[in-house]
Each structure stands twice: as structure tokens, then as C-alpha cells.
Amino acid sequence: MTSKENRELIEHYIEAYNAFDVAGMVQLLHPDIVFRNFANGELNTETRGVEEFKMLAEQSSQIFSSRRQSIASYSAVVNQIEVQIDYEGILVVDLPNGLKAGDKLQLEGKSVFEMTDGKLSLIEDYS
């Protein structure tokens, strides 16, 4: 895939994410997708395969009334693409960390994407 095609794949994934379109997200994934989420330098979530990813995505979509990832910049690193992300979401549930329903969550971070056979095969989110 060309760099342009990779960027379009990532943009379609983020559009589906922002729209709470789990089916749209899943159709962009390689069957062996690995997803990892890191917060404050520590791995707190990992899934392997489309079904585990889909279950996590469905659970996560129930936490927010709205959410938006915005791409700030792209950079290529070896066989991966790093995307600087601005994130904003409004909670609909209270979280164990003290955030309450109605609170706005704002984060800056990055996502690392790797592609295999024209699909996303690795997604790592860092905040």
C-alpha cells in the first residue's frame, strides 16, 4: 500500500471510531489485529483478534455520549505510522478513577498503526 492509502485507511478507522461505528472499524482490521492501550507508560488493555477487539470497542462505546479523535500529525517510523492525536470525550458513566458522568475527558497522545495485507494489523494508543 502506498503512504496515501495507509493514511486513508487510518482516517477511515478514526472516522468510524468517532461515529461509534464498531462494524465500520472492524471491517478495516486484519483478522490477527493486535490492539494495545497504554496510559502513563503502562499497558492497561490488550486484545488479539477481531472478536476481542470488537467486544472491547462495543464496551468502550457505552462509556461516552460523544467522543472525537483528531489527527494532529503523521510520521512514518520503519513499517509503522505514528499519528499524534487530540482526544475529547464526554462520559455517560462514572469511572473508578473519580471521573463522573458528564465530565469531559481531554487527552493528547499518539496512536501507532501497522498494516498487513491492506488492513490494520496493529493499533497502539498512548496517552
Side-chain angles (χ1 to χ4, degrees):
M1 292 180 75
T2 67
S3 176
K4 181 178 187 268
E5 289 169 328
N6 287 339
R7 285 177 65 145
E8 288 175 354
L9 180 62
I10 291 166
E11 289 168 2
H12 289 304
Y13 170 82
I14 290 175
E15 287 169 9
Y17 176 89
N18 289 344
F20 294 89
D21 180 4
V22 174
M25 293 165 62
V26 167
Q27 76 178 9
L28 303 171
L29 304 178
H30 187 275
D32 299 324
I33 181 70
V34 174
F35 171 81
R36 296 182 186 109
N37 188 77
F38 296 86
N40 301 318
E42 293 189 23
L43 176 66
N44 62 15
T45 305
E46 181 174 29
T47 67
R48 294 184 175 272
V50 172
E51 284 307 310
E52 284 185 20
F53 180 95
K54 183 178 177 183
M55 286 175 33
L56 178 65
E58 288 171 346
Q59 290 171 351
S60 298
S61 69
Q62 303 302 309
I63 296 172
F64 297 96
S65 61
S66 68
R67 63 185 185 187
R68 178 148 193 83
Q69 288 188 18
S70 301
I71 297 171
S73 66
Y74 291 91
S75 60
V77 179
V78 190
N79 62 340
Q80 299 176 332
I81 296 177
E82 286 188 10
V83 180
Q84 296 302 313
I85 297 284
D86 294 327
Y87 181 85
E88 182 177 293
I90 307 288
L91 295 169
V92 293
V93 297
D94 295 344
L95 297 180
N97 65 4
L99 292 172
K100 302 287 184 202
D103 285 353
K104 180 187 274 190
L105 183 63
Q106 289 185 286
L107 303 169
E108 291 180 0
K110 75 175 179 181
S111 293
V112 175
F113 296 92
E114 194 171 295
M115 290 68 159
T116 303
D117 301 327
K119 300 278 189 171
L120 298 170
S121 57
L122 172 73
I123 303 170
E124 292 182 337
D125 290 340
Y126 297 84
S127 61

